[in-house]
Amino acid sequence: MSLLGLRGPVRVTLGLHRRVLGAGLAVVLIGALCLPAGRWYVQWLSADFAQTGCDVRNTVHGCGIQVRGFLSRSLYVSRMFAHVGLGVTALPVLVSAFVAGPLIGRELESHTHRLQWTQSVSPARWLAAKLAVPAAAVLLALPAFVLLAAWVRRGTFDTSYPVLWSSAPVYGMVGPVAVGYALLGIALGAVSGLLFGRTLPAMAAAMTATGAVMVTLIQVRPRLWPLVTGRKPSMDSWMVSDPSDPIRRYHPASHFWPLQLVESGILLALATAATVTAFLLLRRRHG
């Protein structure tokens, strides 16, 4: 299967869904603009607060209003980052629904796919084109967004409300797992679309399957890499044991990349398995 052979169905897919794809890219762009704006705002707040001569740790008489204002506005930026992270976390579920319903399920339900199959486009090439369009969008936009989010997060380290890597929305936005989840959503959407062949059931099944995998991996995430045991973990550590325990079990910041890479490997393996399953379903039902 060559790229040249994919141009026809890819062009058709882009034409049919250009508005949805454009809207999705616009949302990602808005989030990408919000993040550096938040970092710039934090830097401006810090510089403006430094000119007052006040100190957050040693508040003196006459500095209460300035300190409270600085802390509250810094907290807004931290919350904004978390909200953007929640949006990125929900992206794989939305992508899976789009692939399962409008991209595949609707065509099978209305039988419009047969028109392309009668124009020298095999079923396998048709499905490959359906998967190539959202996959290309994810691989073009999301890695750059992840790098931007990681850069913005580093800018919060010197504030009173640093964005910690251990929270689920942040963890899912500043590393390769963001791309892995999106690719898995595409693959599960394809399986659901081919399995049900109707728009709404396929979308519901894809969203449920993708969400179930996400919840499961979030639950087992602390056990993807050996924990460290100690009494005084650093502030940026991910506490796994109860804070009241005298011996703490945690992941230090140095475990961020091992955890990300292990989880990304699991996601890519699942996405590969789901993609193979989708092509096998297509061959069995429409081959």
Side-chain angles (χ1 to χ4, degrees), residues 195-230:
L195 192 61
F196 289 90
R198 291 186 295 164
T199 303
L200 293 181
M203 292 177 69
M207 294 175 71
T208 301
T210 305
V213 173
M214 293 177 68
V215 171
T216 301
L217 285 178
I218 289 174
Q219 293 298 319
V220 303
R221 184 175 290 162
R223 296 185 286 276
L224 294 179
W225 197 256
L227 292 161
V228 172
T229 302

Side-chain angles (χ1 to χ4, degrees), residues 53-61 63 67:
C54 298
D55 189 354
V56 173
R57 293 190 178 91
N58 300 301
T59 304
V60 297
H61 180 71
C63 284
V67 170

Side-chain angles (χ1 to χ4, degrees), residues 11-123:
R11 187 182 300 111
V12 171
T13 302
L14 285 172
L16 288 174
H17 304 283
R18 61 185 182 276
R19 292 184 179 178
V20 175
L21 292 169
L25 292 175
V27 171
V28 174
L29 180 60
I30 291 173
L33 293 175
C34 289
L35 290 176
R39 175 163 177 164
W40 172 84
Y41 185 58
V42 166
Q43 293 174 338
W44 176 81
L45 284 177
S46 299
D48 185 65
F49 181 69
Q51 293 179 359
T52 65
C54 298
D55 189 354
V56 173
R57 293 190 178 91
N58 300 301
T59 304
V60 297
H61 180 71
C63 284
I65 295 177
Q66 290 86 341
V67 170
R68 284 194 299 270
F70 172 71
L71 291 178
S72 63
R73 286 178 289 181
S74 299
L75 180 59
Y76 292 155
V77 174
S78 179
R79 288 176 175 172
M80 180 272 295
F81 197 99
H83 291 328
V84 175
L86 287 173
V88 174
T89 302
L91 182 63
V93 178
L94 300 177
V95 168
S96 68
F98 169 71
V99 173
L103 208 59
I104 294 178
R106 183 178 296 171
E107 286 207 20
L108 294 177
E109 188 174 19
S110 61
H111 303 291
T112 55
H113 61 289
R114 298 188 182 278
L115 176 62
Q116 294 187 53
W117 292 1
T118 58
Q119 297 177 346
S120 302
V121 176
S122 67

